[in-house]
CSV table of all heavy atoms in Angstrom, one decimal:
chain,number,residue,atom,x,y,z
A,1282,ARG,N,6.9,-24.7,16.1
A,1282,ARG,CA,6.4,-23.4,15.6
A,1282,ARG,C,6.4,-23.4,14.1
A,1282,ARG,O,7.2,-24.0,13.4
A,1282,ARG,CB,7.4,-22.2,16.1
A,1282,ARG,CG,7.2,-21.9,17.5
A,1282,ARG,CD,8.1,-20.7,17.9
A,1282,ARG,NE,7.8,-20.3,19.2
A,1282,ARG,CZ,8.3,-19.1,19.7
A,1282,ARG,NH1,9.0,-18.4,19.0
A,1282,ARG,NH2,7.9,-18.8,20.9
A,1283,GLU,N,5.5,-22.6,13.5
A,1283,GLU,CA,5.2,-22.5,12.1
A,1283,GLU,C,6.4,-21.5,11.6
A,1283,GLU,O,6.8,-20.6,12.4
A,1283,GLU,CB,4.0,-21.8,11.8
A,1283,GLU,CG,2.8,-22.8,12.3
A,1283,GLU,CD,2.5,-23.8,11.1
A,1283,GLU,OE1,2.9,-23.6,10.1
A,1283,GLU,OE2,1.7,-24.7,11.6
A,1284,VAL,N,6.7,-21.7,10.5
A,1284,VAL,CA,7.7,-20.8,9.8
A,1284,VAL,C,7.0,-19.4,9.8
A,1284,VAL,O,6.0,-19.2,9.5
A,1284,VAL,CB,8.0,-21.3,8.4
A,1284,VAL,CG1,8.8,-20.2,7.6
A,1284,VAL,CG2,8.8,-22.6,8.3
A,1285,ALA,N,7.9,-18.5,10.1
A,1285,ALA,CA,7.4,-17.1,9.9
A,1285,ALA,C,7.5,-16.6,8.6
A,1285,ALA,O,8.7,-16.5,8.1
A,1285,ALA,CB,8.2,-16.2,11.0
A,1286,ARG,N,6.5,-16.3,8.0
A,1286,ARG,CA,6.3,-15.7,6.6
A,1286,ARG,C,6.6,-14.3,6.5
A,1286,ARG,O,6.4,-13.6,7.3
A,1286,ARG,CB,4.9,-16.0,5.9
A,1286,ARG,CG,4.4,-17.4,6.1
A,1286,ARG,CD,5.2,-18.5,5.2
A,1286,ARG,NE,4.7,-19.8,5.3
A,1286,ARG,CZ,5.3,-20.8,4.9
A,1286,ARG,NH1,6.5,-20.7,4.2
A,1286,ARG,NH2,4.7,-22.1,5.0
A,1287,ARG,N,7.3,-14.0,5.3
A,1287,ARG,CA,7.6,-12.6,5.0
A,1287,ARG,C,6.6,-12.1,4.1
A,1287,ARG,O,6.4,-12.7,3.1
A,1287,ARG,CB,9.1,-12.4,4.3
A,1287,ARG,CG,10.3,-12.9,5.3
A,1287,ARG,CD,11.4,-13.1,4.3
A,1287,ARG,NE,12.6,-13.6,5.1
A,1287,ARG,CZ,13.6,-12.8,5.7
A,1287,ARG,NH1,13.5,-11.6,5.6
A,1287,ARG,NH2,14.5,-13.4,6.4
A,1288,ALA,N,6.1,-11.0,4.4
A,1288,ALA,CA,5.1,-10.3,3.5
A,1288,ALA,C,5.2,-8.8,3.7
A,1288,ALA,O,5.4,-8.3,4.8
A,1288,ALA,CB,3.8,-10.7,3.8
A,1289,PHE,N,5.0,-8.1,2.5
A,1289,PHE,CA,5.0,-6.7,2.7
A,1289,PHE,C,3.5,-6.2,3.2
A,1289,PHE,O,2.7,-6.9,3.1
A,1289,PHE,CB,5.2,-6.0,1.4
A,1289,PHE,CG,6.6,-6.1,0.7
A,1289,PHE,CD1,6.9,-6.7,-0.5
A,1289,PHE,CD2,7.7,-5.5,1.4
A,1289,PHE,CE1,8.2,-6.9,-0.9
A,1289,PHE,CE2,8.9,-5.6,0.9
A,1289,PHE,CZ,9.2,-6.2,-0.2
A,1290,ALA,N,3.7,-5.0,3.8
A,1290,ALA,CA,2.4,-4.5,4.3
A,1290,ALA,C,1.3,-4.4,3.3
A,1290,ALA,O,0.1,-4.7,3.7
A,1290,ALA,CB,2.7,-3.0,5.0
A,1291,GLY,N,1.8,-4.1,2.1
A,1291,GLY,CA,0.8,-4.0,1.0
A,1291,GLY,C,0.0,-5.1,0.7
A,1291,GLY,O,-1.2,-5.1,0.2
A,1292,GLU,N,0.7,-6.4,1.0
A,1292,GLU,CA,-0.1,-7.7,0.8
A,1292,GLU,C,-0.8,-8.1,2.1
A,1292,GLU,O,-2.0,-8.5,2.1
A,1292,GLU,CB,0.9,-8.8,0.3
A,1292,GLU,CG,0.1,-10.0,0.2
A,1292,GLU,CD,1.1,-11.2,-0.2
A,1292,GLU,OE1,2.4,-11.0,-0.5
A,1292,GLU,OE2,0.4,-12.3,-0.4
A,1293,PHE,N,0.0,-7.9,3.1
A,1293,PHE,CA,-0.5,-8.3,4.5
A,1293,PHE,C,-1.9,-7.6,4.8
A,1293,PHE,O,-2.8,-8.3,5.4
A,1293,PHE,CB,0.5,-7.9,5.6
A,1293,PHE,CG,0.1,-8.4,7.1
A,1293,PHE,CD1,0.3,-9.7,7.4
A,1293,PHE,CD2,-0.3,-7.3,7.9
A,1293,PHE,CE1,-0.1,-10.1,8.7
A,1293,PHE,CE2,-0.7,-7.8,9.1
A,1293,PHE,CZ,-0.6,-9.1,9.7
A,1294,ASN,N,-2.0,-6.3,4.5
A,1294,ASN,CA,-3.3,-5.6,4.8
A,1294,ASN,C,-4.4,-6.1,3.9
A,1294,ASN,O,-5.5,-5.8,4.2
A,1294,ASN,CB,-3.0,-4.1,4.8
A,1294,ASN,CG,-2.2,-3.6,5.9
A,1294,ASN,OD1,-2.4,-4.2,7.0
A,1294,ASN,ND2,-1.3,-2.8,5.7
A,1295,ASP,N,-4.0,-6.7,2.8
A,1295,ASP,CA,-5.1,-7.1,1.9
A,1295,ASP,C,-5.8,-8.4,2.3
A,1295,ASP,O,-6.8,-8.9,1.8
A,1295,ASP,CB,-4.7,-7.2,0.4
A,1295,ASP,CG,-4.5,-5.9,-0.3
A,1295,ASP,OD1,-5.2,-5.0,0.2
A,1295,ASP,OD2,-3.9,-5.8,-1.3
A,1296,ALA,N,-5.0,-9.2,3.1
A,1296,ALA,CA,-5.5,-10.5,3.7
A,1296,ALA,C,-6.5,-10.3,4.7
A,1296,ALA,O,-6.3,-9.5,5.6
A,1296,ALA,CB,-4.1,-11.3,4.2
A,1297,SER,N,-7.7,-11.0,4.5
A,1297,SER,CA,-8.6,-10.8,5.4
A,1297,SER,C,-9.3,-12.2,5.9
A,1297,SER,O,-10.1,-12.4,6.9
A,1297,SER,CB,-9.9,-10.0,4.9
A,1297,SER,OG,-10.2,-10.6,3.7
A,1298,TYR,N,-8.9,-13.3,5.3
A,1298,TYR,CA,-9.5,-14.5,5.5
A,1298,TYR,C,-8.6,-15.5,6.3
A,1298,TYR,O,-7.3,-15.6,6.1
A,1298,TYR,CB,-9.7,-15.3,4.2
A,1298,TYR,CG,-10.3,-16.6,4.4
A,1298,TYR,CD1,-11.6,-17.0,4.8
A,1298,TYR,CD2,-9.6,-17.8,3.9
A,1298,TYR,CE1,-12.1,-18.1,5.0
A,1298,TYR,CE2,-10.2,-19.1,4.1
A,1298,TYR,CZ,-11.4,-19.3,4.6
A,1298,TYR,OH,-11.9,-20.5,4.8
A,1299,THR,N,-9.1,-16.0,7.5
A,1299,THR,CA,-8.4,-16.9,8.3
A,1299,THR,C,-9.1,-18.3,8.4
A,1299,THR,O,-10.2,-18.4,8.2
A,1299,THR,CB,-8.3,-16.3,9.7
A,1299,THR,OG1,-9.5,-16.0,10.3
A,1299,THR,CG2,-7.4,-15.1,9.8
A,1300,PHE,N,-8.3,-19.3,8.6
A,1300,PHE,CA,-8.9,-20.8,8.6
A,1300,PHE,C,-8.0,-21.5,9.6
A,1300,PHE,O,-6.8,-21.2,9.8
A,1300,PHE,CB,-9.0,-21.2,7.2
A,1300,PHE,CG,-7.7,-21.4,6.6
A,1300,PHE,CD1,-7.1,-22.6,6.4
A,1300,PHE,CD2,-7.0,-20.3,5.9
A,1300,PHE,CE1,-5.7,-22.8,5.9
A,1300,PHE,CE2,-5.7,-20.4,5.2
A,1300,PHE,CZ,-5.1,-21.7,5.3
A,1301,ARG,N,-8.6,-22.7,9.9
A,1301,ARG,CA,-7.9,-23.8,10.5
A,1301,ARG,C,-7.8,-25.0,9.5
A,1301,ARG,O,-9.0,-25.1,8.7
A,1301,ARG,CB,-8.5,-24.2,11.9
A,1301,ARG,CG,-8.3,-23.3,13.0
A,1301,ARG,CD,-8.9,-23.9,14.2
A,1301,ARG,NE,-8.3,-23.2,15.5
A,1301,ARG,CZ,-9.1,-22.3,16.2
A,1301,ARG,NH1,-10.3,-21.9,15.8
A,1301,ARG,NH2,-8.7,-21.8,17.2
Side-chain angles (χ1 to χ4, degrees):
R1282 288 190 172 186
E1283 297 275 345
V1284 172
R1286 307 290 182 190
R1287 297 166 184 264
F1289 287 122
E1292 178 178 6
F1293 183 78
N1294 290 320
D1295 284 342
S1297 58
Y1298 178 67
T1299 57
F1300 64 98
R1301 285 187 167 99

